[in-house]
Amino acid sequence: QVQVMESGGGSVPAGGSLRLSCAASGYTYRNHCMGWFRQAPGKEREGVAAMVIGSGSTYYADSVKGRFTISQDNAKNTLYLQMNSLNPADTAMYYCAALGLAYCARWYVAADYSYWGQGTQVTVSS
């Protein structure tokens, strides 16, 4: 079965940077949609960024545009999220997810994703 696992979370001061990684297995991700979501305590899970693997098509939430970059390494079957200029509002559990379809028009809809990682905590202090 498809498995995804996030890593790279941690604590960082405001203005700092962090890179999250998502290793995938049991799945052919090329030309399929994968995304990053985050959820703070008591808040709804929100889409952060997504991409169609191998296509170059990327999508970002308005709140992270210009600060976060989603990328991939096909050889390693790994998805990345580079997070720069972090602020306390970015504090959340971050999840990697695979849509299981070559379609990203609704990349921001968590319920559409079939496979999820366990999450990695990102904490940004002021």
Side-chain angles (χ1 to χ4, degrees):
Q1 184 59 270
V2 174
Q3 294 187 25
V4 294
M5 182 174 292
E6 310 92 337
S7 63
S11 297
V12 62
S17 298
L18 209 57
R19 188 176 76 161
L20 306 183
S21 299
C22 173
S25 64
Y27 190 72
T28 300
Y29 289 97
R30 179 168 286 272
N31 297 320
H32 284 72
C33 186
M34 292 191 69
W36 288 96
F37 287 76
R38 66 186 182 186
Q39 187 168 23
K43 305 296 183 181
E44 295 292 322
R45 185 168 297 190
E46 63 174 339
V48 176
M51 73 180 301
V52 178
I53 303 299
S55 76
S57 299
T58 60
Y59 309 87
Y60 296 94
D62 289 342
S63 60
V64 306
K65 286 181 180 177
R67 299 190 298 123
F68 291 11
T69 302
I70 188 170
S71 62
Q72 62 173 107
D73 185 332
N74 290 145
K76 298 180 180 179
N77 214 26
T78 301
L79 187 72
Y80 300 99
L81 184 68
Q82 178 66 46
M83 305 184 293
N84 298 326
S85 301
L86 287 162
N87 60 67
D90 296 315
T91 295
M93 184 73 75
Y94 283 70
Y95 299 90
C96 177
L99 187 60
L101 297 169
Y103 185 73
C104 267
R106 287 166 54 85
W107 67 270
Y108 50 85
V109 180
D112 284 357
Y113 286 74
S114 298
Y115 310 104
W116 293 85
Q118 83 290 342
T120 186
Q121 179 67 40
V122 171
T123 301
V124 185
S125 62
S126 58

